[in-house]
Amino acid sequence: MPTFAPMNCRKHLTPFLLALCTVGLISSSLSAQTVIDLHRGGAVVRAKQRSDYDVVNRSPQQLRQDSLQYIDCLTRAYNHLYTDSLCQARQCFQEALKLRPEAPANYIIHRELGKIYLAEEKFSESTEEFNIVLRQYPNDFEARRHRAVCALRLNHPQQAIDDCAALSSHALDTTSVIDILFLQAEAHRQLRQYPNVDADLTKILSMNPRNESAQLLLAINLERLGQPQEALNRLNLFLESRPDNIEALVSRAEMHLRQHHAILAKEDADEAIRLSPQEPSFYILRAKIYDEIGETYLAEQDRRKAIQLSENP
């Protein structure tokens, strides 16, 4: 999940909010869903109407009130993010955009909305928000990086590759370069460009030889390159020093199963389940292994267990 700024009180938000608002003051909270009409004879509180969002016909007093409510929406949005209340945060950000649709720094709100949708696994909506940011600021690194992630989740690998190429034009530290290479490797995998996957992962290891994820993915990719025995040899070597690495155990079990070594596959699946007994996918994997060796009753038991765990996580 994307990391949001830990802002949990109004005084921490003041510098950010002032930058977003043309009216440079903060007052007490006003509800974003109501309007206080001030006129001779007293104030009247009423629900907002469509015309209340029409900036062209707004009086200076109404614009000032919108600015105050805009600040209040942003304050509440970031407070909700601090407590991981993503739905409430999204609603507050969207209300802020309605209040001041032309605010110069609204791209920050769109970026935050994109991150919220990404955390909610709403990848199309997330992409749209990042598109808005990038149309205004093409060099926004964070928005482009998150859009590449969305593209991979939506199975749009070429878009991810294009975004990675744009990201690579920035002056980056080693950690960021490695992050981009992992994204690029996944895009090349989706395109079945396995030599390119090998090249991406090899670059990562040239910068960080101890990167376990790159070592594991490189071993798995050898099978795709037509070297199944060498892939198994690499996984065996990897697991010798990391016997509790669940990803490697599952990868080797799947590889053994593809090569019809069902007994060896079951040993790895059993160990993965022992290490993580609440993971439904491991029972599905073992059920496939039982099917391979003709143990249909045990296969059905594992499938029922996987369903039970999925329904009651």
Side-chain angles (χ1 to χ4, degrees):
M1 174 183 296
T3 301
F4 299 100
M7 299 182 179
N8 64 342
C9 65
R10 184 179 297 274
K11 66 179 180 180
H12 291 161
L13 289 172
T14 301
F16 174 77
L17 295 173
L18 288 176
L20 293 181
C21 200
T22 57
V23 177
L25 61 92
I26 298 179
S27 113
S28 59
S29 297
L30 298 172
S31 170
Q33 303 300 326
T34 59
V35 173
I36 302 175
D37 279 340
L38 299 177
H39 55 81
R40 295 182 68 179
V44 176
V45 179
R46 62 175 175 79
K48 274 202 165 185
Q49 301 172 358
R50 182 181 298 273
S51 61
D52 292 308
Y53 293 110
D54 187 353
V55 176
V56 176
N57 297 320
R58 309 288 279 155
S59 69
Q61 183 175 339
Q62 289 171 321
L63 291 174
R64 172 184 170 82
Q65 186 180 69
D66 282 350
S67 292
L68 292 171
Q69 293 184 351
Y70 179 84
I71 290 171
D72 182 63
C73 285
L74 295 177
T75 303
R76 289 186 288 112
Y78 278 99
N79 287 342
H80 285 311
L81 287 183
Y82 182 77
T83 59
D84 287 333
S85 302
L86 300 186
C87 181
Q88 292 91 330
R90 172 163 41 80
Q91 291 170 353
C92 290
F93 279 132
Q94 290 169 337
E95 182 65 20
L97 289 173
K98 290 179 182 179
L99 285 163
R100 298 196 58 212
E102 304 301 326
N106 276 350
Y107 74 96
I108 297 173
I109 298 178
H110 287 292
R111 190 201 294 141
E112 296 297 336
L113 283 170
K115 289 159 64 178
I116 291 171
Y117 282 128
L118 180 57
E120 295 174 332
E121 298 190 355
K122 297 177 180 178
F123 303 116
S124 296
E125 293 89 340
S126 181
T127 298
E128 286 303 312
E129 297 297 337
F130 294 131
N131 286 343
I132 293 171
V133 176
L134 291 168
R135 280 195 290 270
Q136 189 174 358
Y137 293 98
N139 291 324
D140 189 302
F141 183 91
E142 187 179 14
R144 192 170 293 279
R145 192 264 178 199
H146 286 315
R147 189 174 73 172
V149 172
C150 290
L152 292 173
R153 298 300 298 270
L154 291 167
N155 292 313
H156 299 156
Q158 191 56 55
Q159 175 63 63
I161 288 173
D162 292 343
D163 278 337
C164 287
L167 290 168
S168 297
S169 66
H170 293 257
L172 302 173
D173 59 23
T174 300
T175 301
S176 297
V177 172
I178 288 174
D179 178 61
I180 292 167
L181 285 169
F182 272 123
L183 293 176
Q184 193 167 276
E186 172 57 19
H188 285 139
R189 185 198 66 79
Q190 289 185 13
L191 290 167
R192 301 188 178 184
Q193 297 174 350
Y194 303 129
N196 290 341
V197 174
D198 187 89
D200 293 331
L201 297 172
T202 300
K203 286 179 184 176
I204 291 171
L205 289 173
S206 71
M207 290 182 281
N208 181 5
R210 296 184 178 182
N211 190 298
E212 293 188 0
S213 295
Q215 291 173 12
L216 179 57
L217 291 171
L218 198 61
I220 295 168
N221 194 57
L222 283 170
E223 185 184 31
R224 303 186 190 111
L225 290 170
Q227 303 177 55
Q229 190 55 52
E230 181 59 24
L232 273 175
N233 291 342
R234 294 279 188 95
L235 284 175
N236 290 339
L237 185 62
F238 185 91
L239 281 163
E240 280 181 13
S241 58
R242 309 164 188 84
D244 292 340
N245 187 294
I246 294 180
E247 290 80 7
L249 284 167
V250 171
S251 296
R252 190 171 67 177
E254 292 171 337
M255 201 172 292
H256 279 313
L257 183 59
R258 285 192 290 272
Q259 296 178 26
H260 304 291
H261 302 153
I263 301 303
L264 293 174
K266 182 180 176 299
E267 290 177 2
D268 285 339
D270 286 344
E271 183 64 7
I273 288 171
R274 184 187 72 80
L275 292 169
S276 185
Q278 301 303 310
E279 175 50 52
S281 65
F282 297 165
Y283 292 92
I284 294 296
L285 171 60
R286 195 169 65 177
K288 292 178 182 177
I289 297 168
Y290 280 134
D291 285 336
E292 177 77 8
I293 60 180
E295 296 282 1
T296 55
Y297 175 74
L298 294 175
E300 185 59 30
Q301 275 192 323
D302 271 357
R303 289 193 177 93
R304 284 199 295 267
K305 180 67 172 180
I307 292 170
Q308 177 187 349
L309 289 172
S310 297
E311 292 176 346
N312 302 287

